[in-house]
Amino acid sequence: MGTSSSQRSPATPEWERVRELYRQPDPDPAEVLSRIVSALGPETRAGLKSAGVVCCLDNLLEAPVAAQAGDLSRLLTGHPGVPQTPAIELANGIRRRAETEIISRQMASRFSDLGLQAVGTTVMGAAEDIPGSPGLLKATLPQLESHFGGFYEESRLNHLAGAFLADDFSHAFRYFVARDISDFVGTEALPTVSSSSILQDRIAHSCRIITGGVDLSSAEDVIRQALTRPDAAGRGEVLRGFFGQAVESGLEVLAAGGG
């Protein structure tokens, strides 16, 4: 599965207000994000919290469950003949499990593709935050197991879910920007492809920082309840209610310009 940025945004007055900012030198990322939220239609807003995205979150949350049981290694996916670090193998393994489930349950969409990207980003970000680790590329399996197990044992599953929310928003809003911004490359505001990429990076980074401030601590019990369900459909049903509210909270804070 892959996400294309070739399709332009709808030709609506709201999206034209977004595109106006790409004509300006050095637009404020928070303002771009706010205008994008105002331009999103009901179908797109629903896509951000769709079953495929929730499936990605569900598979990510399996890592703390497996880690606290001393079984994180079952989630790792290696490539024969290509040595990789445990952190990369964990990111690849969780992403592959989620992708397989998405395909088998016919949940594929542009937003599930973005969710799969977010899974990898979140796993690597968590691995990079391991206390005392020499870096994510050198983190050992025992270090990963202890760190991810801590999310479960210390009732911090909401922190991992919050990181996924922020990463998913970051990938999604970068996509919203990317599908239009190429039309403005070569203008005074965006003279080069490099300047376009820099602006996309700034907007995606701002999106992650702003939505990373959404407090999901009140959802810890709901998340733990979901993880006790033995079937994927049951877990997804519980997680989708919580995640839908989290997405709305994220959209609200972006609409307010991060305030």
Side-chain angles (χ1 to χ4, degrees):
M1 295 189 291
T3 302
S4 170
S5 60
S6 60
Q7 181 179 352
R8 296 296 181 259
S9 300
T12 64
E14 291 80 9
W15 277 109
E16 182 54 33
R17 290 189 70 244
V18 177
R19 288 187 280 266
E20 285 175 359
L21 294 177
Y22 304 147
R23 299 184 177 95
Q24 301 177 12
D26 196 27
D28 180 4
E31 185 176 3
V32 175
L33 293 165
S34 178
R35 291 195 186 186
I36 290 176
V37 173
S38 297
L40 298 178
E43 184 177 350
T44 302
R45 294 175 76 105
L48 289 167
K49 46 191 172 185
S50 61
V53 181
V54 174
C55 176
C56 293
L57 173 61
D58 182 19
N59 278 272
L60 172 65
L61 291 171
E62 179 65 17
V65 176
Q68 61 87 29
D71 195 24
L72 187 64
S73 60
R74 68 179 173 83
L75 301 183
L76 273 62
T77 299
H79 295 271
V82 183
Q84 294 182 326
T85 66
I88 293 177
E89 289 189 8
L90 180 61
N92 287 341
I94 295 174
R95 175 172 173 154
R96 184 172 297 181
R97 286 166 61 91
E99 185 174 24
T100 299
E101 184 178 343
I102 287 170
I103 293 172
S104 66
R105 297 177 60 192
Q106 299 181 332
M107 297 184 294
S109 70
R110 190 176 308 277
F111 294 100
S112 64
D113 287 353
L114 294 166
L116 289 169
Q117 293 179 35
V119 165
T121 303
T122 305
V123 171
M124 300 298 276
E128 195 169 25
D129 289 339
I130 296 176
S133 170
L136 69 90
L137 296 182
K138 294 184 179 180
T140 65
L141 179 56
Q143 286 176 319
L144 286 172
E145 197 153 65
S146 175
H147 187 58
F148 276 90
F151 287 111
Y152 187 93
E153 295 162 357
E154 300 164 13
S155 296
R156 293 187 294 111
L157 293 171
N158 70 91
H159 291 188
L160 190 61
F164 173 80
L165 177 74
D167 288 329
D168 188 50
F169 263 101
S170 178
H171 284 289
F173 277 75
R174 186 186 181 95
Y175 159 71
F176 294 141
V177 174
R179 67 185 183 181
D180 286 335
I181 203 170
S182 61
D183 292 344
F184 302 92
V185 173
T187 66
E188 183 178 353
L190 294 168
T192 64
V193 172
S194 177
S195 59
S196 168
S197 297
I198 290 171
L199 179 58
Q200 291 178 60
D201 288 343
R202 289 177 56 218
I203 293 171
H205 177 71
S206 293
C207 183
R208 192 191 186 288
I209 295 299
I210 293 170
T211 54
V214 175
D215 184 5
L216 302 182
S217 58
S218 62
E220 182 70 25
D221 289 343
V222 174
I223 297 172
R224 299 180 82 87
Q225 176 190 348
L227 297 180
T228 64
R229 301 286 293 269
D231 58 306
R235 291 193 306 274
E237 181 179 353
V238 177
L239 287 174
R240 193 168 184 181
F242 137 72
F243 190 71
Q245 294 175 356
V247 167
E248 290 299 325
S249 296
L251 292 173
E252 287 176 8
V253 72
L254 288 174

Short mmCIF file of all heavy atoms in Angstrom, two decimals, residues 156-183:
data_model
loop_
_atom_site.label_atom_id
_atom_site.label_comp_id
_atom_site.label_asym_id
_atom_site.label_seq_id
_atom_site.Cartn_x
_atom_site.Cartn_y
_atom_site.Cartn_z
N ARG A 156 1.13 3.92 31.40
CA ARG A 156 1.44 5.01 30.48
C ARG A 156 1.09 4.65 29.05
O ARG A 156 1.66 5.20 28.09
CB ARG A 156 2.92 5.37 30.58
CG ARG A 156 3.33 5.99 31.91
CD ARG A 156 4.77 6.49 31.89
NE ARG A 156 5.73 5.40 31.77
CZ ARG A 156 6.48 5.18 30.70
NH1 ARG A 156 6.38 5.95 29.63
NH2 ARG A 156 7.35 4.17 30.68
N LEU A 157 0.13 3.74 28.88
CA LEU A 157 -0.31 3.39 27.53
C LEU A 157 -0.86 4.62 26.82
O LEU A 157 -0.74 4.75 25.60
CB LEU A 157 -1.36 2.29 27.59
CG LEU A 157 -0.89 0.93 28.09
CD1 LEU A 157 -2.08 -0.01 28.29
CD2 LEU A 157 0.10 0.30 27.11
N ASN A 158 -1.47 5.51 27.58
CA ASN A 158 -2.01 6.73 26.98
C ASN A 158 -0.90 7.59 26.38
O ASN A 158 -1.13 8.33 25.43
CB ASN A 158 -2.85 7.52 27.99
CG ASN A 158 -2.01 8.14 29.09
OD1 ASN A 158 -1.56 9.28 28.99
ND2 ASN A 158 -1.79 7.40 30.17
N HIS A 159 0.30 7.53 26.94
CA HIS A 159 1.43 8.29 26.39
C HIS A 159 1.81 7.76 25.02
O HIS A 159 2.07 8.54 24.09
CB HIS A 159 2.64 8.21 27.32
CG HIS A 159 2.46 8.94 28.61
ND1 HIS A 159 3.46 9.13 29.52
CD2 HIS A 159 1.36 9.53 29.16
CE1 HIS A 159 3.01 9.80 30.57
NE2 HIS A 159 1.73 10.04 30.37
N LEU A 160 1.84 6.43 24.88
CA LEU A 160 2.18 5.83 23.60
C LEU A 160 1.08 6.13 22.57
O LEU A 160 1.36 6.44 21.41
CB LEU A 160 2.38 4.32 23.75
CG LEU A 160 2.96 3.59 22.54
CD1 LEU A 160 4.35 4.12 22.20
CD2 LEU A 160 3.03 2.08 22.81
N ALA A 161 -0.17 6.04 23.01
CA ALA A 161 -1.29 6.37 22.12
C ALA A 161 -1.23 7.84 21.72
O ALA A 161 -1.52 8.19 20.56
CB ALA A 161 -2.62 6.07 22.81
N GLY A 162 -0.84 8.71 22.65
CA GLY A 162 -0.72 10.13 22.33
C GLY A 162 0.38 10.41 21.33
O GLY A 162 0.24 11.27 20.45
N ALA A 163 1.49 9.67 21.45
CA ALA A 163 2.58 9.83 20.48
C ALA A 163 2.12 9.39 19.10
O ALA A 163 2.45 10.03 18.08
CB ALA A 163 3.79 9.02 20.93
N PHE A 164 1.36 8.29 19.04
CA PHE A 164 0.83 7.84 17.74
C PHE A 164 -0.11 8.88 17.16
O PHE A 164 -0.07 9.17 15.96
CB PHE A 164 0.11 6.50 17.89
CG PHE A 164 -0.59 6.07 16.62
CD1 PHE A 164 0.11 5.48 15.59
CD2 PHE A 164 -1.96 6.26 16.47
CE1 PHE A 164 -0.52 5.10 14.42
CE2 PHE A 164 -2.61 5.89 15.30
CZ PHE A 164 -1.89 5.31 14.27
N LEU A 165 -0.99 9.44 17.99
CA LEU A 165 -1.92 10.46 17.51
C LEU A 165 -1.15 11.62 16.87
O LEU A 165 -1.48 12.07 15.76
CB LEU A 165 -2.77 10.98 18.68
CG LEU A 165 -3.74 12.12 18.34
CD1 LEU A 165 -4.92 11.60 17.55
CD2 LEU A 165 -4.21 12.81 19.62
N ALA A 166 -0.12 12.11 17.56
CA ALA A 166 0.66 13.23 17.05
C ALA A 166 1.40 12.87 15.77
O ALA A 166 1.45 13.65 14.82
CB ALA A 166 1.65 13.70 18.12
N ASP A 167 1.97 11.66 15.73
CA ASP A 167 2.68 11.23 14.52
C ASP A 167 1.73 11.04 13.36
O ASP A 167 2.04 11.40 12.21
CB ASP A 167 3.44 9.93 14.80
CG ASP A 167 4.65 10.14 15.69
OD1 ASP A 167 5.25 11.23 15.63
OD2 ASP A 167 5.00 9.21 16.45
N ASP A 168 0.55 10.50 13.62
CA ASP A 168 -0.43 10.29 12.57
C ASP A 168 -0.90 11.63 12.01
O ASP A 168 -1.01 11.81 10.79
CB ASP A 168 -1.61 9.48 13.10
CG ASP A 168 -2.56 9.06 12.00
OD1 ASP A 168 -2.10 8.52 10.98
OD2 ASP A 168 -3.78 9.28 12.14
N PHE A 169 -1.20 12.58 12.89
CA PHE A 169 -1.57 13.92 12.45
C PHE A 169 -0.45 14.55 11.62
O PHE A 169 -0.70 15.19 10.59
CB PHE A 169 -1.88 14.80 13.66
CG PHE A 169 -3.34 14.91 13.99
CD1 PHE A 169 -3.88 14.16 15.03
CD2 PHE A 169 -4.17 15.75 13.28
CE1 PHE A 169 -5.22 14.25 15.35
CE2 PHE A 169 -5.51 15.86 13.60
CZ PHE A 169 -6.05 15.11 14.63
N SER A 170 0.79 14.38 12.06
CA SER A 170 1.92 14.96 11.36
C SER A 170 2.02 14.43 9.94
O SER A 170 2.19 15.19 8.98
CB SER A 170 3.22 14.67 12.13
OG SER A 170 4.33 15.19 11.45
N HIS A 171 1.88 13.11 9.78
CA HIS A 171 1.93 12.52 8.44
C HIS A 171 0.72 12.96 7.60
O HIS A 171 0.86 13.25 6.41
CB HIS A 171 1.98 11.00 8.54
CG HIS A 171 3.31 10.46 8.93
ND1 HIS A 171 4.41 10.49 8.09
CD2 HIS A 171 3.75 9.86 10.08
CE1 HIS A 171 5.45 9.95 8.70
NE2 HIS A 171 5.07 9.56 9.91
N ALA A 172 -0.45 13.00 8.22
CA ALA A 172 -1.66 13.35 7.47
C ALA A 172 -1.62 14.79 6.98
O ALA A 172 -1.92 15.08 5.82
CB ALA A 172 -2.90 13.12 8.34
N PHE A 173 -1.22 15.71 7.86
CA PHE A 173 -1.22 17.12 7.46
C PHE A 173 -0.06 17.42 6.50
O PHE A 173 -0.18 18.33 5.66
CB PHE A 173 -1.22 18.02 8.68
CG PHE A 173 -2.60 18.23 9.25
CD1 PHE A 173 -3.23 17.22 9.96
CD2 PHE A 173 -3.28 19.41 9.03
CE1 PHE A 173 -4.51 17.39 10.47
CE2 PHE A 173 -4.57 19.59 9.52
CZ PHE A 173 -5.20 18.58 10.24
N ARG A 174 1.03 16.68 6.60
CA ARG A 174 2.07 16.84 5.59
C ARG A 174 1.53 16.41 4.23
O ARG A 174 1.84 17.02 3.21
CB ARG A 174 3.29 16.00 5.96
CG ARG A 174 4.47 16.23 5.00
CD ARG A 174 5.62 15.30 5.26
NE ARG A 174 6.71 15.59 4.33
CZ ARG A 174 7.74 16.38 4.60
NH1 ARG A 174 7.83 16.94 5.79
NH2 ARG A 174 8.65 16.61 3.70
N TYR A 175 0.73 15.35 4.22
CA TYR A 175 0.11 14.91 2.98
C TYR A 175 -0.82 15.99 2.41
O TYR A 175 -0.81 16.28 1.21
CB TYR A 175 -0.68 13.61 3.21
CG TYR A 175 -1.74 13.36 2.17
CD1 TYR A 175 -1.39 13.00 0.86
CD2 TYR A 175 -3.08 13.53 2.47
CE1 TYR A 175 -2.36 12.80 -0.10
CE2 TYR A 175 -4.06 13.33 1.51
CZ TYR A 175 -3.69 12.97 0.23
OH TYR A 175 -4.66 12.78 -0.72
N PHE A 176 -1.64 16.60 3.28
CA PHE A 176 -2.55 17.65 2.82
C PHE A 176 -1.77 18.80 2.17
O PHE A 176 -2.21 19.38 1.18
CB PHE A 176 -3.38 18.20 3.98
CG PHE A 176 -4.35 17.20 4.57
CD1 PHE A 176 -4.56 17.16 5.96
CD2 PHE A 176 -5.04 16.31 3.78
CE1 PHE A 176 -5.45 16.26 6.51
CE2 PHE A 176 -5.93 15.39 4.32
CZ PHE A 176 -6.14 15.36 5.70
N VAL A 177 -0.61 19.13 2.74
CA VAL A 177 0.22 20.20 2.19
C VAL A 177 0.87 19.75 0.88
O VAL A 177 0.85 20.47 -0.12
CB VAL A 177 1.29 20.64 3.20
CG1 VAL A 177 2.24 21.65 2.57
CG2 VAL A 177 0.66 21.22 4.45
N ALA A 178 1.42 18.54 0.88
CA ALA A 178 2.19 18.05 -0.26
C ALA A 178 1.36 17.97 -1.54
O ALA A 178 1.88 18.17 -2.63
CB ALA A 178 2.80 16.69 0.06
N ARG A 179 0.07 17.68 -1.41
CA ARG A 179 -0.72 17.48 -2.62
C ARG A 179 -1.03 18.79 -3.35
O ARG A 179 -1.48 18.78 -4.48
CB ARG A 179 -2.02 16.75 -2.29
CG ARG A 179 -3.02 17.49 -1.44
CD ARG A 179 -4.20 16.61 -1.09
NE ARG A 179 -5.22 17.33 -0.32
CZ ARG A 179 -6.35 16.78 0.11
NH1 ARG A 179 -6.57 15.50 -0.13
NH2 ARG A 179 -7.23 17.49 0.78
N ASP A 180 -0.76 19.93 -2.71
CA ASP A 180 -1.01 21.23 -3.35
C ASP A 180 0.24 22.06 -3.58
O ASP A 180 0.32 22.84 -4.52
CB ASP A 180 -1.97 22.07 -2.50
CG ASP A 180 -3.41 21.58 -2.57
OD1 ASP A 180 -3.77 20.95 -3.57
OD2 ASP A 180 -4.15 21.83 -1.60
N ILE A 181 1.21 21.90 -2.70
CA ILE A 181 2.31 22.88 -2.66
C ILE A 181 3.20 22.85 -3.90
O ILE A 181 3.84 23.86 -4.24
CB ILE A 181 3.14 22.67 -1.38
CG1 ILE A 181 3.88 23.96 -1.02
CG2 ILE A 181 4.10 21.48 -1.52
CD1 ILE A 181 4.53 23.92 0.34
N SER A 182 3.23 21.73 -4.62
CA SER A 182 4.07 21.66 -5.81
C SER A 182 3.65 22.67 -6.86
O SER A 182 4.47 23.09 -7.69
CB SER A 182 4.05 20.24 -6.40
OG SER A 182 2.74 19.88 -6.78
N ASP A 183 2.39 23.08 -6.85
CA ASP A 183 1.92 24.08 -7.80
C ASP A 183 2.58 25.43 -7.61
O ASP A 183 2.55 26.28 -8.51
CB ASP A 183 0.40 24.27 -7.67
CG ASP A 183 -0.39 23.05 -8.10
OD1 ASP A 183 0.19 22.18 -8.79
OD2 ASP A 183 -1.58 22.95 -7.74
#
